[in-house]
PDB file of all heavy atoms in Angstrom:
ATOM      1  N   ALA R   1       0.805  -1.181  -0.004  1.00 55.00           N
ATOM      2  CA  ALA R   1       0.051  -0.030   0.035  1.00 55.00           C
ATOM      3  C   ALA R   1       0.920   1.207   0.018  1.00 55.00           C
ATOM      4  O   ALA R   1       0.689   2.214  -0.765  1.00 55.00           O
ATOM      5  CB  ALA R   1      -0.923   0.000   1.208  1.00 55.00           C
ATOM      6  N   GLN R   2       1.875   1.253   0.879  1.00 56.00           N
ATOM      7  CA  GLN R   2       2.841   2.395   0.889  1.00 56.00           C
ATOM      8  C   GLN R   2       3.571   2.436  -0.456  1.00 56.00           C
ATOM      9  O   GLN R   2       3.773   3.596  -0.966  1.00 56.00           O
ATOM     10  CB  GLN R   2       3.782   2.249   2.042  1.00 56.00           C
ATOM     11  CG  GLN R   2       4.737   3.491   2.195  1.00 56.00           C
ATOM     12  CD  GLN R   2       5.652   3.278   3.427  1.00 56.00           C
ATOM     13  OE1 GLN R   2       5.669   2.349   4.088  1.00 56.00           O
ATOM     14  NE2 GLN R   2       6.451   4.362   3.585  1.00 56.00           N
ATOM     15  N   ALA R   3       4.004   1.363  -1.019  1.00 59.00           N
ATOM     16  CA  ALA R   3       4.691   1.495  -2.310  1.00 59.00           C
ATOM     17  C   ALA R   3       3.765   1.968  -3.486  1.00 59.00           C
ATOM     18  O   ALA R   3       4.329   2.672  -4.326  1.00 59.00           O
ATOM     19  CB  ALA R   3       5.159   0.027  -2.668  1.00 59.00           C
ATOM     20  N   ALA R   4       2.466   1.662  -3.411  1.00 61.00           N
ATOM     21  CA  ALA R   4       1.593   2.140  -4.355  1.00 61.00           C
ATOM     22  C   ALA R   4       1.462   3.634  -4.341  1.00 61.00           C
ATOM     23  O   ALA R   4       1.472   4.462  -5.365  1.00 61.00           O
ATOM     24  CB  ALA R   4       0.185   1.510  -4.241  1.00 61.00           C
ATOM     25  N   THR R   5       1.490   4.211  -3.114  1.00 56.00           N
ATOM     26  CA  THR R   5       1.390   5.647  -2.922  1.00 56.00           C
ATOM     27  C   THR R   5       2.660   6.302  -3.454  1.00 56.00           C
ATOM     28  O   THR R   5       2.621   7.371  -4.201  1.00 56.00           O
ATOM     29  CB  THR R   5       1.182   5.991  -1.489  1.00 56.00           C
ATOM     30  OG1 THR R   5      -0.007   5.329  -1.032  1.00 56.00           O
ATOM     31  CG2 THR R   5       1.164   7.511  -1.231  1.00 56.00           C
ATOM     32  N   LEU R   6       3.858   5.750  -3.094  1.00 58.00           N
ATOM     33  CA  LEU R   6       5.102   6.258  -3.581  1.00 58.00           C
ATOM     34  C   LEU R   6       5.222   6.141  -5.066  1.00 58.00           C
ATOM     35  O   LEU R   6       5.706   7.106  -5.753  1.00 58.00           O
ATOM     36  CB  LEU R   6       6.219   5.485  -2.935  1.00 58.00           C
ATOM     37  CG  LEU R   6       6.410   5.618  -1.378  1.00 58.00           C
ATOM     38  CD1 LEU R   6       7.386   4.683  -0.879  1.00 58.00           C
ATOM     39  CD2 LEU R   6       6.665   7.004  -1.009  1.00 58.00           C
ATOM     40  N   ARG R   7       4.723   5.068  -5.643  1.00 63.00           N
ATOM     41  CA  ARG R   7       4.839   4.966  -7.176  1.00 63.00           C
ATOM     42  C   ARG R   7       3.930   6.039  -7.801  1.00 63.00           C
ATOM     43  O   ARG R   7       4.339   6.579  -8.886  1.00 63.00           O
ATOM     44  CB  ARG R   7       4.310   3.609  -7.572  1.00 63.00           C
ATOM     45  CG  ARG R   7       4.522   3.278  -9.034  1.00 63.00           C
ATOM     46  CD  ARG R   7       4.144   1.808  -9.353  1.00 63.00           C
ATOM     47  NE  ARG R   7       5.118   0.958  -8.949  1.00 63.00           N
ATOM     48  CZ  ARG R   7       4.970   0.059  -7.903  1.00 63.00           C
ATOM     49  NH1 ARG R   7       3.885   0.064  -7.206  1.00 63.00           N
ATOM     50  NH2 ARG R   7       5.909  -0.755  -7.621  1.00 63.00           N
ATOM     51  N   ARG R   8       2.855   6.359  -7.303  1.00 60.00           N
ATOM     52  CA  ARG R   8       2.024   7.349  -7.906  1.00 60.00           C
ATOM     53  C   ARG R   8       2.749   8.741  -7.883  1.00 60.00           C
ATOM     54  O   ARG R   8       2.709   9.464  -8.799  1.00 60.00           O
ATOM     55  CB  ARG R   8       0.629   7.571  -7.158  1.00 60.00           C
ATOM     56  CG  ARG R   8      -0.357   6.467  -7.626  1.00 60.00           C
ATOM     57  CD  ARG R   8      -1.732   6.754  -7.156  1.00 60.00           C
ATOM     58  NE  ARG R   8      -1.848   6.910  -5.651  1.00 60.00           N
ATOM     59  CZ  ARG R   8      -2.072   5.976  -4.870  1.00 60.00           C
ATOM     60  NH1 ARG R   8      -2.254   4.717  -5.349  1.00 60.00           N
ATOM     61  NH2 ARG R   8      -2.116   6.173  -3.600  1.00 60.00           N
ATOM     62  N   ALA R   9       3.426   8.958  -6.712  1.00 55.00           N
ATOM     63  CA  ALA R   9       4.116  10.259  -6.610  1.00 55.00           C
ATOM     64  C   ALA R   9       5.215  10.294  -7.591  1.00 55.00           C
ATOM     65  O   ALA R   9       5.589  11.450  -7.995  1.00 55.00           O
ATOM     66  CB  ALA R   9       4.769  10.336  -5.119  1.00 55.00           C
ATOM     67  N   ARG R  10       5.782   9.182  -7.989  1.00 58.00           N
ATOM     68  CA  ARG R  10       6.915   9.183  -8.983  1.00 58.00           C
ATOM     69  C   ARG R  10       6.422   9.339 -10.390  1.00 58.00           C
ATOM     70  O   ARG R  10       7.037  10.083 -11.223  1.00 58.00           O
ATOM     71  CB  ARG R  10       7.747   7.944  -8.755  1.00 58.00           C
ATOM     72  CG  ARG R  10       8.827   7.703  -9.724  1.00 58.00           C
ATOM     73  CD  ARG R  10       9.649   6.515  -9.437  1.00 58.00           C
ATOM     74  NE  ARG R  10       8.896   5.289  -9.568  1.00 58.00           N
ATOM     75  CZ  ARG R  10       8.741   4.579 -10.719  1.00 58.00           C
ATOM     76  NH1 ARG R  10       9.322   5.069 -11.834  1.00 58.00           N
ATOM     77  NH2 ARG R  10       7.989   3.514 -10.735  1.00 58.00           N
ATOM     78  N   THR R  11       5.312   8.626 -10.746  1.00 60.00           N
ATOM     79  CA  THR R  11       4.974   8.554 -12.143  1.00 60.00           C
ATOM     80  C   THR R  11       3.880   9.648 -12.523  1.00 60.00           C
ATOM     81  O   THR R  11       3.837   9.828 -13.728  1.00 60.00           O
ATOM     82  CB  THR R  11       4.202   7.149 -12.418  1.00 60.00           C
ATOM     83  OG1 THR R  11       3.133   7.076 -11.534  1.00 60.00           O
ATOM     84  CG2 THR R  11       5.248   6.017 -12.174  1.00 60.00           C
ATOM     85  N   GLU R  12       3.298  10.338 -11.626  1.00 63.00           N
ATOM     86  CA  GLU R  12       2.279  11.274 -11.912  1.00 63.00           C
ATOM     87  C   GLU R  12       2.829  12.728 -11.742  1.00 63.00           C
ATOM     88  O   GLU R  12       2.020  13.679 -11.703  1.00 63.00           O
ATOM     89  CB  GLU R  12       1.026  11.041 -11.124  1.00 63.00           C
ATOM     90  CG  GLU R  12       0.336   9.711 -11.393  1.00 63.00           C
ATOM     91  CD  GLU R  12      -0.911   9.539 -10.464  1.00 63.00           C
ATOM     92  OE1 GLU R  12      -1.198  10.439  -9.690  1.00 63.00           O
ATOM     93  OE2 GLU R  12      -1.434   8.352 -10.520  1.00 63.00           O
ATOM     94  N   THR R  13       4.045  12.866 -11.716  1.00 74.00           N
ATOM     95  CA  THR R  13       4.703  14.174 -11.496  1.00 74.00           C
ATOM     96  C   THR R  13       5.367  14.708 -12.768  1.00 74.00           C
ATOM     97  O   THR R  13       6.041  13.943 -13.464  1.00 74.00           O
ATOM     98  CB  THR R  13       5.737  14.192 -10.404  1.00 74.00           C
ATOM     99  OG1 THR R  13       5.193  13.717  -9.219  1.00 74.00           O
ATOM    100  CG2 THR R  13       6.396  15.510 -10.103  1.00 74.00           C
ATOM    101  N   LYS R  14       4.964  15.958 -13.109  1.00 81.00           N
ATOM    102  CA  LYS R  14       5.654  16.556 -14.303  1.00 81.00           C
ATOM    103  C   LYS R  14       6.812  17.539 -13.835  1.00 81.00           C
ATOM    104  O   LYS R  14       6.674  18.029 -12.784  1.00 81.00           O
ATOM    105  CB  LYS R  14       4.626  17.370 -15.066  1.00 81.00           C
ATOM    106  CG  LYS R  14       3.778  16.484 -16.030  1.00 81.00           C
ATOM    107  CD  LYS R  14       3.126  17.338 -17.065  1.00 81.00           C
ATOM    108  CE  LYS R  14       2.551  16.443 -18.127  1.00 81.00           C
ATOM    109  NZ  LYS R  14       1.938  17.184 -19.329  1.00 81.00           N
ATOM    110  N   ALA R  15       7.783  17.629 -14.575  1.00 86.00           N
ATOM    111  CA  ALA R  15       8.923  18.444 -14.242  1.00 86.00           C
ATOM    112  C   ALA R  15       9.202  19.528 -15.316  1.00 86.00           C
ATOM    113  O   ALA R  15       8.921  19.295 -16.508  1.00 86.00           O
ATOM    114  CB  ALA R  15      10.201  17.563 -14.182  1.00 86.00           C
ATOM    115  N   ARG R  16       9.687  20.703 -14.867  1.00 89.00           N
ATOM    116  CA  ARG R  16      10.128  21.758 -15.719  1.00 89.00           C
ATOM    117  C   ARG R  16      11.522  21.682 -15.981  1.00 89.00           C
ATOM    118  O   ARG R  16      12.350  22.058 -15.120  1.00 89.00           O
ATOM    119  CB  ARG R  16       9.745  23.127 -15.211  1.00 89.00           C
ATOM    120  CG  ARG R  16       8.241  23.343 -15.429  1.00 89.00           C
ATOM    121  CD  ARG R  16       7.883  24.779 -15.038  1.00 89.00           C
ATOM    122  NE  ARG R  16       7.803  24.966 -13.591  1.00 89.00           N
ATOM    123  CZ  ARG R  16       7.615  26.081 -12.925  1.00 89.00           C
ATOM    124  NH1 ARG R  16       7.541  27.217 -13.614  1.00 89.00           N
ATOM    125  NH2 ARG R  16       7.589  26.173 -11.621  1.00 89.00           N
ATOM    126  N   ARG R  17      12.011  20.941 -17.048  1.00 90.00           N
ATOM    127  CA  ARG R  17      13.378  20.800 -17.218  1.00 90.00           C
ATOM    128  C   ARG R  17      13.937  22.066 -17.988  1.00 90.00           C
ATOM    129  O   ARG R  17      13.473  22.466 -18.971  1.00 90.00           O
ATOM    130  CB  ARG R  17      13.721  19.567 -18.117  1.00 90.00           C
ATOM    131  CG  ARG R  17      15.184  19.369 -18.472  1.00 90.00           C
ATOM    132  CD  ARG R  17      15.393  17.943 -18.909  1.00 90.00           C
ATOM    133  NE  ARG R  17      14.728  17.777 -20.235  1.00 90.00           N
ATOM    134  CZ  ARG R  17      14.803  16.508 -20.892  1.00 90.00           C
ATOM    135  NH1 ARG R  17      15.367  15.485 -20.353  1.00 90.00           N
ATOM    136  NH2 ARG R  17      14.127  16.418 -22.067  1.00 90.00           N
ATOM    137  N   LEU R  18      14.979  22.656 -17.377  1.00 91.00           N
ATOM    138  CA  LEU R  18      15.552  23.898 -17.902  1.00 91.00           C
ATOM    139  C   LEU R  18      16.371  23.565 -19.144  1.00 91.00           C
ATOM    140  O   LEU R  18      17.094  22.577 -19.192  1.00 91.00           O
ATOM    141  CB  LEU R  18      16.413  24.611 -16.914  1.00 91.00           C
ATOM    142  CG  LEU R  18      15.669  24.986 -15.599  1.00 91.00           C
ATOM    143  CD1 LEU R  18      16.714  25.611 -14.585  1.00 91.00           C
ATOM    144  CD2 LEU R  18      14.602  26.029 -15.957  1.00 91.00           C
ATOM    145  N   LEU R  19      16.249  24.491 -20.148  1.00 91.00           N
ATOM    146  CA  LEU R  19      17.013  24.324 -21.408  1.00 91.00           C
ATOM    147  C   LEU R  19      18.142  25.338 -21.364  1.00 91.00           C
ATOM    148  O   LEU R  19      17.941  26.445 -20.816  1.00 91.00           O
ATOM    149  CB  LEU R  19      16.092  24.574 -22.590  1.00 91.00           C
ATOM    150  CG  LEU R  19      14.927  23.652 -22.687  1.00 91.00           C
ATOM    151  CD1 LEU R  19      14.006  24.160 -23.836  1.00 91.00           C
ATOM    152  CD2 LEU R  19      15.393  22.242 -22.939  1.00 91.00           C
ATOM    153  N   PRO R  20      19.314  25.025 -21.913  1.00 88.00           N
ATOM    154  CA  PRO R  20      20.486  25.843 -21.812  1.00 88.00           C
ATOM    155  C   PRO R  20      20.235  27.159 -22.806  1.00 88.00           C
ATOM    156  O   PRO R  20      19.637  26.963 -23.917  1.00 88.00           O
ATOM    157  CB  PRO R  20      21.655  24.996 -22.320  1.00 88.00           C
ATOM    158  CG  PRO R  20      21.013  23.896 -23.148  1.00 88.00           C
ATOM    159  CD  PRO R  20      19.664  23.724 -22.532  1.00 88.00           C
ATOM    160  N   ASP R  21      20.810  28.214 -22.349  1.00 85.00           N
ATOM    161  CA  ASP R  21      20.680  29.399 -23.208  1.00 85.00           C
ATOM    162  C   ASP R  21      21.955  29.534 -24.147  1.00 85.00           C
ATOM    163  O   ASP R  21      22.642  28.479 -24.305  1.00 85.00           O
ATOM    164  CB  ASP R  21      20.592  30.778 -22.459  1.00 85.00           C
ATOM    165  CG  ASP R  21      21.769  30.814 -21.446  1.00 85.00           C
ATOM    166  OD1 ASP R  21      22.824  30.209 -21.692  1.00 85.00           O
ATOM    167  OD2 ASP R  21      21.678  31.557 -20.441  1.00 85.00           O
ATOM    168  N   SER R  22      22.048  30.526 -24.802  1.00 82.00           N
ATOM    169  CA  SER R  22      23.137  30.623 -25.799  1.00 82.00           C
ATOM    170  C   SER R  22      24.525  30.564 -25.251  1.00 82.00           C
ATOM    171  O   SER R  22      25.493  30.126 -25.796  1.00 82.00           O
ATOM    172  CB  SER R  22      23.131  32.054 -26.541  1.00 82.00           C
ATOM    173  OG  SER R  22      23.161  33.079 -25.596  1.00 82.00           O
ATOM    174  N   THR R  23      24.640  30.844 -23.940  1.00 83.00           N
ATOM    175  CA  THR R  23      25.992  30.718 -23.211  1.00 83.00           C
ATOM    176  C   THR R  23      26.148  29.278 -22.645  1.00 83.00           C
ATOM    177  O   THR R  23      27.227  28.971 -22.012  1.00 83.00           O
ATOM    178  CB  THR R  23      26.139  31.788 -22.184  1.00 83.00           C
ATOM    179  OG1 THR R  23      25.209  31.450 -21.123  1.00 83.00           O
ATOM    180  CG2 THR R  23      25.966  33.131 -22.759  1.00 83.00           C
ATOM    181  N   GLY R  24      25.090  28.461 -22.763  1.00 84.00           N
ATOM    182  CA  GLY R  24      25.188  27.205 -22.100  1.00 84.00           C
ATOM    183  C   GLY R  24      24.842  27.073 -20.642  1.00 84.00           C
ATOM    184  O   GLY R  24      24.832  26.010 -20.009  1.00 84.00           O
ATOM    185  N   ALA R  25      24.274  28.262 -20.157  1.00 85.00           N
ATOM    186  CA  ALA R  25      23.775  28.305 -18.710  1.00 85.00           C
ATOM    187  C   ALA R  25      22.311  27.924 -18.664  1.00 85.00           C
ATOM    188  O   ALA R  25      21.624  28.072 -19.611  1.00 85.00           O
ATOM    189  CB  ALA R  25      23.987  29.736 -18.200  1.00 85.00           C
ATOM    190  N   TYR R  26      21.988  27.372 -17.479  1.00 88.00           N
ATOM    191  CA  TYR R  26      20.555  27.047 -17.327  1.00 88.00           C
ATOM    192  C   TYR R  26      19.901  28.032 -16.312  1.00 88.00           C
ATOM    193  O   TYR R  26      19.924  27.845 -15.103  1.00 88.00           O
ATOM    194  CB  TYR R  26      20.528  25.621 -16.651  1.00 88.00           C
ATOM    195  CG  TYR R  26      20.993  24.519 -17.533  1.00 88.00           C
ATOM    196  CD1 TYR R  26      22.412  24.248 -17.571  1.00 88.00           C
ATOM    197  CD2 TYR R  26      20.126  23.822 -18.397  1.00 88.00           C
ATOM    198  CE1 TYR R  26      22.841  23.244 -18.465  1.00 88.00           C
ATOM    199  CE2 TYR R  26      20.663  22.800 -19.162  1.00 88.00           C
ATOM    200  CZ  TYR R  26      21.902  22.512 -19.231  1.00 88.00           C
ATOM    201  OH  TYR R  26      22.356  21.554 -20.060  1.00 88.00           O
TER     202      TYR R  26
END
């Protein structure tokens, strides 16, 4: 039961992945 809750937290989360700018910085 605890594992199912943790799995939902892992699979149902979206992330804002930063993209590098012209200088390569994030």
Side-chain angles (χ1 to χ4, degrees):
Q2 184 177 2
T5 302
L6 295 172
R7 185 177 286 108
R8 284 196 299 272
R10 179 174 61 86
T11 58
E12 297 178 4
T13 302
K14 279 198 169 183
R16 282 186 284 174
R17 181 166 62 185
L18 297 175
L19 301 175
D21 58 20
S22 57
T23 65
Y26 293 86

